[in-house]
């Protein structure tokens, strides 16, 4: 019989508990959450599957959990600002690690993380589902087979239909998320580099701040306590009535001073970047957080002299256009998968890493750090109005 796979979790929140319950456990039913480090024990416990509730032990520190829980695997699912500090500790152990993104939110965190992983036996799956989603993998495969010739240009779009979550929930606190390049574009700049087969080396970026979300409403205000709930388009009742997406529970005000200001730091309503790749190719990336409903769009168009490949995760299709022959194809992957199938792929990598079936994941720590460097450069460029060189891992 297979040995139970003993998982320890730091920060057993909404996202990581979902990954464990829906993805890891469906691949490895013998997985058990045996240890947790989380100051909010009550909520962390309610997120557990029934099979884990009886035996799980809560620990005060990661170090104590590793010493006492006999772990086969580790997952870090805290909020963004704590990923790097915990991952730096985890680099000391020889235990496979599932690490949430962004892997760092500042240059000093990213540099310390790179240093900590320079000499380590700790193997990592960074939670970048888009890179390993079947649609992205198929696009990369076609590029490798020569479908576009040399990839010379990429245009990537991200019209987020659920963008209010970056003002409704904890992402609104700039000290936790450090803006939406790090929070959101970390996925996209990562998969763009993967598709182009080349790292981003230079960025110019721009953002709009405080024109739509954020504002002067009091700190901590919730819709249930607000006089404008009947008219505000973001109240639960109006979101329900208009089918406009976002949480329909009572939530924090998206127009509150808590969301910060352009001066103190705030998430952008929309932002864009012009990117140059080491290969000499260039491209654009743009993300819009106030788009709703059928405006949703996420994907890229990659072109070379021979052809163009264009895909959209929401439409769930890939188009291939041959530039010099009268043939175009549309490829449709399967439907209804978490993060467009990427979460399942990451789960396979993680279980295979833990079981010793593979030596390296498809999203090792370098991918997370390299993407953080690109996002930090974009954040800096948007602030200064200048092109910024992107630091390269191992530089
Ligand atoms: N990869 C993806 O596609 C994806 C999708 C969604 C969210 N995320 C990322 O997942 C992360 C978590 O998001 P979430 O929605 O699950 O948040 P959450 O608030 O539900 O979970 C965070 C957990 O960390 C715990 N925590 C707080 N301080 C801690 C500490 N000092 N030590 C240990 N635990 C601590 C909290 O109590 C909570 O249980 C975010 O960084 C987010 O960017 C990634």
């Amino acid at each position: 019989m297979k040995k139970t796979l003993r998982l320890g979790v730091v920060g057993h929140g909404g996202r990581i508990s979902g990954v464990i319950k829906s993805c890891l456990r469906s691949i490895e039913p013998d997985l058990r959450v045996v240890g947790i480090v989380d100051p909010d024990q009550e909520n962390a416990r309610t997120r557990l599957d029934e099979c884990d509730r009886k035996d799980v032990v809560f620990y005060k520190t990661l170090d104590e959990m590793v010493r006492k829980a006999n772990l086969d695997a580790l997952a870090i699912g805290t909020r963004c600002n704590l990923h790097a500090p915990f991952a730096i500790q985890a680099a000391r152990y020889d235990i496979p690690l599932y690490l949430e993104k962004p892997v760092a939110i500042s240059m000093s965190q990213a540099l310390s993380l790179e240093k900590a992983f320079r000499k380590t036996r700790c193997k990592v799956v960074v939670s970048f589902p888009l890179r390993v989603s079947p649609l992205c993998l198929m696009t990369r495969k076609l590029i490798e087979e020569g479908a576009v010739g040399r990839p010379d240009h990429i245009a990537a779009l991200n019209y987020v239909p659920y963008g209010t979550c970056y003002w409704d929930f904890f992402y609104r606190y700039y000290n936790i998320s450090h803006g939406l390049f790090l929070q959101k574009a970390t996925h996209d700049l990562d998969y763009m580099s993967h598709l182009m087969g080349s790292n981003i080396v230079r960025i110019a970026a721009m953002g709009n701040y405080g024109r739509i979300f954020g504002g002067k409403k009091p700190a901590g205000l919730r819709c249930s306590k607000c006089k404008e709930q009947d008219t505000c388009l973001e109240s639960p009742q109006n979101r329900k009535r208009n089918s406009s997406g976002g949480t329909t529970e009572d939530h924090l005000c998206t127009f509150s001073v808590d969301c910060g200001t352009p001066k103190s730091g705030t998430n952008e309503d929309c932002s864009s970047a012009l990117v140059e790749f080491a290969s000499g190719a260039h491209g654009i990336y743009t993300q819009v957080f106030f788009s709703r409903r059928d405006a949703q769009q996420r994907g890229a168009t990659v072109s070379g002299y021979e052809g163009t490949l264009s895909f959209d995760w929401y439409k769930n299709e890939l188009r291939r256009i041959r530039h010099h022959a009268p043939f175009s194809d549309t490829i449709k992957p399967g439907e209804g998968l978490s993060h467009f199938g990427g979460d399942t792929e990451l789960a396979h990598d993680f279980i295979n890493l833990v079981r010793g079936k593979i030596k390296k994941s498809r999203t090792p720590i370098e991918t997370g750090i390299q993407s953080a460097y690109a996002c930090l450069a974009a954040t800096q460029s948007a602030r200064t109005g200048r092109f910024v060189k992107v630091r390269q891992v191992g530089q």
Side-chain angles (χ1 to χ4, degrees), residues 2-9 12 16-17 19-34 48-49 51-52 72-75 347 350-351 354-355:
K2 265 195 291 176
K3 178 176 159 284
T4 300
L5 194 158
R6 298 172 63 83
L7 176 69
V9 182
H12 191 251
I16 205 72
S17 61
V19 167
I20 293 166
K21 289 186 281 197
S22 312
C23 304
L24 293 175
R25 183 155 283 138
S26 71
I27 294 166
E28 182 54 86
D30 285 334
L31 177 135
R32 290 291 170 273
V33 178
V34 294
L48 286 167
D49 264 342
C51 60
D52 292 326
D72 299 308
L74 197 57
F350 190 54
I351 298 297
V354 177
R355 294 287 185 209

Side-chain angles (χ1 to χ4, degrees), residues 299-321:
T301 301
V302 179
S303 304
Y305 183 64
E306 301 293 336
T308 289
L309 293 168
S310 194
F311 68 91
D312 183 293
W313 277 291
Y314 289 112
K315 275 197 198 142
N316 205 25
E317 70 174 35
L318 164 61
R319 299 241 312 136
R320 174 184 184 174
I321 294 104

Side-chain angles (χ1 to χ4, degrees), residues 1-275:
M1 220 178 68
K2 265 195 291 176
K3 178 176 159 284
T4 300
L5 194 158
R6 298 172 63 83
L7 176 69
V9 182
V10 183
H12 191 251
R15 160 72 183 166
I16 205 72
S17 61
V19 167
I20 293 166
K21 289 186 281 197
S22 312
C23 304
L24 293 175
R25 183 155 283 138
S26 71
I27 294 166
E28 182 54 86
D30 285 334
L31 177 135
R32 290 291 170 273
V33 178
V34 294
I36 294 181
V37 178
D38 193 317
D40 183 359
Q41 263 201 46
E42 196 186 325
N43 282 314
R45 186 180 289 277
T46 55
R47 292 187 187 108
L48 286 167
D49 264 342
E50 199 54 46
C51 60
D52 292 326
R53 288 209 184 146
K54 196 162 68 67
D55 296 326
V56 73
V57 178
F58 279 81
Y59 296 93
K60 286 227 153 40
T61 65
L62 170 56
D63 193 49
E64 188 194 3
M65 179 163 75
V66 169
R67 273 189 288 109
K68 296 186 177 163
N70 188 23
L71 300 178
D72 299 308
L74 197 57
I76 296 176
T78 57
R79 293 176 180 179
C80 321
N81 55 323
L82 295 178
H83 296 161
F86 279 117
I88 288 166
Q89 283 185 49
R92 289 192 223 127
Y93 317 117
D94 184 8
I95 305 175
L97 170 67
Y98 188 101
L99 177 60
E100 260 316 328
K101 51 51 59 175
V103 299
I105 59 158
S106 66
M107 186 52 95
S108 70
Q109 277 196 352
L111 292 172
S112 305
L113 192 63
E114 188 182 344
K115 191 165 165 221
F117 275 86
R118 222 167 267 152
K119 284 192 192 134
T120 180
R121 291 162 64 94
C122 172
K123 300 196 174 82
V124 181
V125 169
V126 173
S127 186
F128 276 158
L130 294 188
R131 172 191 276 245
V132 294
S133 67
L135 208 43
C136 189
L137 292 177
M138 176 59 81
T139 307
R140 176 66 199 155
K141 183 167 176 279
L142 291 174
I143 292 171
E144 280 169 5
E145 287 169 4
V148 303
R150 184 183 64 203
D152 269 324
H153 187 269
I154 182 165
L157 300 181
N158 189 4
Y159 286 84
V160 186
Y162 53 85
T164 50
C165 74
Y166 300 107
W167 286 268
D168 290 336
F169 296 125
F170 69 85
Y171 300 106
R172 65 189 351 222
Y173 303 114
Y174 195 78
N175 62 335
I176 291 180
S177 61
H178 274 223
L180 297 178
F181 277 116
L182 282 156
Q183 180 47 234
K184 195 61 165 172
T186 190
H187 290 292
D188 303 76
L189 299 187
D190 171 68
Y191 88 72
M192 287 165 70
S193 303
H194 178 56
L195 285 181
M196 299 301 278
S198 182
N199 281 359
I200 295 170
V201 291
R202 203 161 65 114
I203 285 197
M206 205 178 266
N208 282 7
Y209 304 84
R211 289 164 63 91
I212 295 176
F213 296 120
K216 296 209 161 61
K217 290 277 187 283
L221 179 67
R222 289 186 169 271
C223 300
S224 54
K225 298 269 180 278
C226 180
K227 290 194 192 94
E228 294 172 34
Q229 55 179 298
D230 288 336
T231 51
C232 178
L233 288 173
E234 300 304 342
S235 68
Q237 51 269 50
N238 281 328
R239 284 185 184 172
K240 249 185 235 161
R241 186 175 177 183
N242 300 327
S243 303
S244 56
T247 178
T248 51
E249 305 281 308
D250 184 24
H251 59 83
L252 291 165
C253 176
T254 52
F255 306 108
S256 155
V257 290
D258 286 338
C259 303
T261 64
K263 200 160 169 223
S264 66
T266 185
N267 289 336
E268 57 269 33
D269 298 321
C270 52
S271 51
S272 308
L274 185 59
V275 298

